[in-house]
Amino acid sequence: MSPAPRILLVEDDPDFSNAVRSILERAGYEVSGIARTCSDALELAAQQRPDLAILDLNLEDSIDGVTLGFELSAGGVPIIYLTGDIAVAIRCAYEIASDFLEKPLRPADLLASIEAILANNPPLRRGKVVTH
């Protein structure tokens, strides 16, 4: 049996991130970490390389969610953006995102997106380190 794909969740709303974590874990995914800031997300990604990252677009930190996506994507991590404004997300990050999902989130949409992304980009990259 292969290990569960690891997903990094980057979301500054604790209630929302806990709800997403619950959805992911019930579906059999491993949440490798929940980061509230982009800086924390980069640290977590370097420590335990995720197979996929789910990012809030609007994060306040030394870098924003778009820049974080570029950093993670450059290291080979597929990105799903969660946002309240899909048009802005697409305009800012269309070239790196594997998908965009709108808040409020439908669990079935999230799980279908993850399944499709991992089917096209299977988690075979473990052991590599994301650099920034």
Side-chain angles (χ1 to χ4, degrees):
M1 182 174 177
S2 61
R6 291 188 300 233
I7 298 176
L8 173 63
L9 180 56
V10 186
E11 170 63 53
D12 57 357
D13 179 335
D15 292 332
F16 186 76
S17 62
N18 287 331
V20 173
R21 169 184 248 168
S22 179
I23 293 165
L24 297 172
E25 289 177 343
R26 278 192 305 242
Y29 296 107
E30 176 187 338
V31 177
S32 63
I34 297 177
R36 306 266 186 252
T37 67
C38 296
S39 302
D40 289 346
L42 289 171
E43 279 185 42
L44 283 171
Q47 291 169 7
Q48 188 181 68
R49 181 175 170 76
D51 297 306
L52 183 136
I54 299 173
L55 309 179
D56 183 359
L57 184 68
N58 298 313
L59 296 165
E60 295 185 21
D61 198 359
S62 57
I63 62 172
D64 62 13
V66 174
T67 304
L68 173 62
F70 275 93
E71 293 280 340
L72 294 174
S73 179
V77 178
I79 306 296
I80 296 175
Y81 276 106
L82 300 180
T83 181
D85 192 342
I86 291 283
V88 169
I90 291 171
R91 188 173 63 245
C92 295
Y94 70 91
E95 62 206 51
I96 57 150
S98 296
D99 202 357
F100 298 93
L101 297 174
E102 192 165 23
K103 293 179 182 177
L105 182 64
R106 289 179 14 155
D109 292 342
L110 176 62
L111 296 175
S113 177
I114 292 168
E115 185 177 312
I117 291 165
L118 292 178
N120 289 321
N121 193 9
L124 300 175
R125 305 166 313 278
R126 291 195 179 168
K128 294 182 183 176
V129 176
V130 175
T131 58
H132 54 276

